[in-house]
Amino acid sequence: MPQTKHSPSPFGGGQNRICAVAACQTAGEMAQQIPIGLRETATVELRLDWLRSDSEREKLLRWLGKQKFRGARFLATCRRRAAGGEFGGDIQAELFWLMEARRAGCEWCDVEVETERELPDQSIREYAVPPRVMLSLHDFERTPKLPESVSCPPCGEVDVVKIATSAKTISDSVRLLRLARRSRCFVAVPMGEIGFPGRLLALREGSALAYAPIGEATAPGQVGLRELKHLYRAHLLTRRTEVYGVIGDPIRHSLSPLMHNTGFVARKQNAVYLPFLVHDLKDFLGTIPDFGVCGFSVTIPHKEKILKYLADCDRLAADIGAVNTVVVRRNGSLYGLNTDYVGVLGALERRMKLRASRVLVFGAGGSARAAAFALARAGSQVFICSRRNSAAKELARAVEGEAIPRRALRSENFDAILNATPVGMHPRENETPLSLQELRCDLVMDLIYRPLQTKLLKLAKQKGIATVSGLDMFLAQGFAQWEIWMETKPPEAAMRRAVLRKLQSG
Ligand code: NAP
């Protein structure tokens, strides 16, 4: 992809291109958020429309007028409901609050096209709103046909144009990024969870700003300010940054971005790892050159479907019939591997002797296949039980194991039982794939790692059975991926600490 020289952002360079969004119901809460935002960036958007009443808006702006935040650049927004905001007033009221914001020291304001079109006096410059104006267009439904490029003349009506559209596909967000690359004084915001990778990479494509909430994320796909800056390092990403990621559906629960980005930060690697919510595999694969993806992890439901798009595949992954790791070669072709296999072995070998052991794998999907192959190759006698007996039989045949019916679990004994179904996974933590009576073994491993202690593991503990959570497997498969992509050993301790801390914090 051609390198584009971008015009400097009117918001300044470096971290100031990250815009911290203060959005609260009361002036008191907002006044607490603002200094937190200013620790990370000088650019703060004040969502005046989020404040629950005019008296809260008045209180906030009176407070702001008395503060002395050196170098801070405030952007006032009072978006009406008609334009997708929270403000119940009309255009006159919106303009009133923007003018008050100027008196309180705001240098910028965000005016929606819906307001600009209906201005009684035609030009926003006729009003004493903050001197620098961002004209914003939002489409909360879709990403419509976009113009070739956008630019604001130096002495024009507005200083910056923002287009924020809902990304329904990954390629929607790529269209917005291409526009950012060709435009001047432009802000690109692909909205929604699918749009997140684009939202994050917008800065390196020339977008003048990337937004992040100071408080908790308030919409799917949003990532908090500290995470955007310190984990994803949005303001430091360039076209030289290697992009990795995980594709899946759903993907929000994945801890892989936390694990890999923690590793990149610890090793000062110029690389970033992004969560791609992928409904349509082909759509994602078409965007690899635009994003500059060098490699990606694959999770539910794409581990098996990805095989047909690979130019080549590791022998073991082909035997397993599932790929969880892809390397994008220099010529753009894809090479697949399976590190779930390494993960299962890494987690179990330390706890039991696998050779000649009797191990039951419950489930017959992608991870069950990796586990069954790993166990069979380590010399275990493998039993498969699955709700679809045909799938159990097929996997049992592939690993020279035995398919057994569910009713047999109340009488058969095993050295270990592995759950390879999603039953009990967050948020359905009250479910268990197997009952107490079916746990006739010395060790139970749940491949699920969120929560750390699944209901299944709690039942096993009740019965005095040793337990292994999916965390060890998750870490081991992730370390193996890192080594494949980076060709060096990962900072395991830092990555483990970050994931554990997150899981323990709930
Ligand atoms: P998958 O390919 O979709 O397979 C899921 C399996 O579970 C299938 O056999 C499915 O049966 C069965 N299943 C689904 N719902 C069930 C239910 N209600 N009752 C009984 N069986 C049910 O998924 P996967 O990739 O193998 O992942 C399975 C689990 O392992 C997930 O929770 C995943 O998070 C976890 N995992 C963890 C790691 C780790 O590193 N710790 C790695 C990979 C996966 P049908 O075919 O009949 O639908």
Side-chain angles (χ1 to χ4, degrees):
M1 192 186 317
Q3 285 273 105
T4 320
K5 201 157 183 279
H6 301 123
S7 51
S9 166
F11 297 93
Q15 63 186 21
N16 296 337
R17 293 181 307 144
I18 295 179
C19 181
V21 182
C24 306
Q25 296 231 319
T26 67
E29 289 168 301
M30 201 112 135
Q32 281 181 0
Q33 278 201 350
I34 290 167
I36 297 172
L38 287 171
R39 268 181 238 144
E40 307 294 343
T41 168
T43 313
V44 178
E45 180 186 36
L46 306 177
R47 288 295 304 262
L48 300 177
D49 55 320
W50 271 59
L51 290 162
R52 69 178 168 216
S53 63
D54 284 350
S55 95
E56 293 298 328
R57 275 180 274 280
E58 199 182 324
K59 252 191 249 167
L60 177 81
L61 293 175
R62 203 176 327 118
W63 170 84
L64 187 69
K66 290 188 198 143
Q67 307 305 307
K68 294 209 169 12
F69 293 120
R70 269 171 62 98
R73 196 177 290 114
F74 291 107
L75 168 71
T77 300
C78 195
R79 189 163 302 139
R80 287 175 301 120
R81 291 197 186 118
E86 301 285 322
F87 186 56
D90 60 12
I91 290 188
Q92 292 299 347
E94 177 184 357
L95 291 169
F96 170 80
W97 287 114
L98 293 181
M99 291 191 278
E100 288 295 297
R102 177 181 184 147
R103 283 151 55 108
C106 291
E107 184 187 339
W108 281 85
C109 63
D110 181 325
V111 177
E112 305 76 30
V113 285
E114 291 83 350
T115 294
E116 198 250 6
R117 275 191 209 125
E118 291 175 40
L119 279 179
D121 286 327
Q122 302 299 317
S123 166
I124 188 71
R125 298 287 180 195
E126 306 285 319
Y127 298 86
V129 297
R132 311 201 70 186
V133 177
M134 174 188 286
L135 180 68
S136 65
L137 181 147
H138 297 84
D139 190 327
F140 295 97
E141 299 299 321
R142 67 207 166 103
T143 298
K145 191 168 185 308
L146 297 169
E148 262 303 298
S149 67
V150 173
S151 59
C152 305
C155 309
E157 178 81 358
V158 299
D159 300 275
V160 163
V161 172
K162 175 175 90 181
I163 297 186
T165 64
S166 175
K168 295 291 178 215
T169 61
I170 309 264
S171 48
D172 277 348
S173 55
V174 164
R175 285 197 288 128
L176 210 45
L177 291 190
R178 287 187 187 145
L179 179 58
R181 217 175 293 147
R182 292 190 296 260
S183 302
R184 288 180 56 243
C185 296
F186 178 68
V187 175
V189 185
M191 293 190 288
E193 197 182 347
I194 292 182
F196 174 68
R199 199 180 174 103
L200 193 104
L201 295 179
L203 289 180
R204 76 167 190 178
E205 303 298 338
S207 176
L209 281 186
Y211 291 83
I214 299 169
E216 285 297 301
T218 50
Q222 273 194 353
V223 158
L225 178 61
R226 280 192 58 76
E227 218 178 313
L228 192 86
K229 187 175 162 197
H230 298 287
L231 186 68
Y232 290 101
R233 300 170 293 170
H235 58 302
L236 299 177
L237 308 181
T238 66
R239 293 295 313 169
R240 285 173 183 274
T241 304
E242 292 185 357
V243 175
Y244 297 89
V246 53
I247 65 166
D249 182 8
I251 204 61
R252 209 178 312 170
H253 68 283
S254 174
L255 293 181
S256 293
L258 174 66
M259 173 169 63
H260 286 292
N261 285 321
T262 300
F264 292 152
V265 172
R267 281 285 157 79
K268 298 191 170 58
Q269 295 270 2
N270 187 9
V272 67
Y273 185 100
L274 305 170
F276 289 94
L277 174 61
V278 173
H279 300 317
D280 178 349
L281 197 48
K282 229 170 151 183
D283 173 66
F284 164 75
L285 296 174
T287 64
I288 286 179
D290 276 281
F291 281 119
V293 176
C294 303
F296 55 96
S297 315
V298 186
T299 186
I300 296 178
H302 303 304
K303 283 184 181 178
E304 291 157 52
K305 286 184 221 144
I306 188 79
L307 276 154
K308 71 171 180 212
Y309 298 102
L310 304 175
D312 205 352
C313 187
D314 170 67
R315 177 72 202 275
L316 185 59
D319 285 348
I320 295 170
V323 156
N324 79 327
T325 311
V326 173
V327 174
V328 181
R329 290 165 164 163
R330 279 185 192 282
N331 64 4
S333 68
L334 307 180
Y335 181 74
L337 305 99
N338 191 309
T339 66
D340 283 340
Y341 176 98
V342 184
V344 172
L345 288 184
L348 278 181
E349 266 170 349
R350 278 181 284 147
R351 280 144 172 125
M352 63 182 281
K353 194 169 118 322
L354 292 176
R355 176 154 296 284
S357 63
R358 284 166 57 88
V359 182
L360 170 75
V361 176
F362 188 65
S367 59
R369 291 188 69 85
F373 272 84
L375 291 163
R377 294 203 178 182
S380 303
Q381 190 182 356
V382 181
F383 297 84
I384 313 288
C385 179
S386 175
R387 69 176 170 186
R388 281 186 304 117
N389 200 29
S390 57
K393 275 187 178 156
E394 196 280 312
L395 178 54
R397 208 170 23 247
V399 297
E400 294 176 8
E402 208 177 297
I404 62 169
R406 179 84 187 241
R407 62 178 181 282
L409 302 189
R410 286 171 181 261
S411 52
E412 291 281 341
N413 292 320
F414 302 98
D415 291 301
I417 295 180
L418 269 61
N419 172 40
T421 76
V423 183
M425 188 163 77
H426 176 80
R428 300 170 75 168
E429 296 177 16
N430 279 331
E431 295 178 7
T432 173
L434 296 169
S435 68
L436 200 63
Q437 296 75 14
E438 290 170 317
L439 300 181
R440 298 165 60 89
C441 59
D442 298 329
L443 184 140
V444 171
M445 175 173 172
D446 203 333
L447 267 55
I448 294 170
Y449 61 88
R450 199 167 196 167
L452 265 179
Q453 286 301 312
T454 57
K455 177 131 190 234
L456 176 71
L457 295 187
K458 285 181 190 158
L459 286 181
K461 273 190 183 150
Q462 249 181 52
K463 238 180 151 175
I465 300 172
T467 60
V468 182
S469 95
L471 177 64
D472 286 358
M473 172 181 170
F474 174 69
L475 292 169
Q477 62 80 32
F479 296 157
Q481 290 182 325
W482 168 289
E483 222 171 313
I484 289 165
W485 293 324
M486 299 289 121
E487 296 176 345
T488 156
K489 289 266 175 220
E492 293 186 6
M495 290 159 83
R496 176 179 287 112
R497 236 185 349 263
V499 173
L500 199 57
R501 201 179 303 136
K502 180 77 183 175
L503 287 170
Q504 284 169 343
S505 75

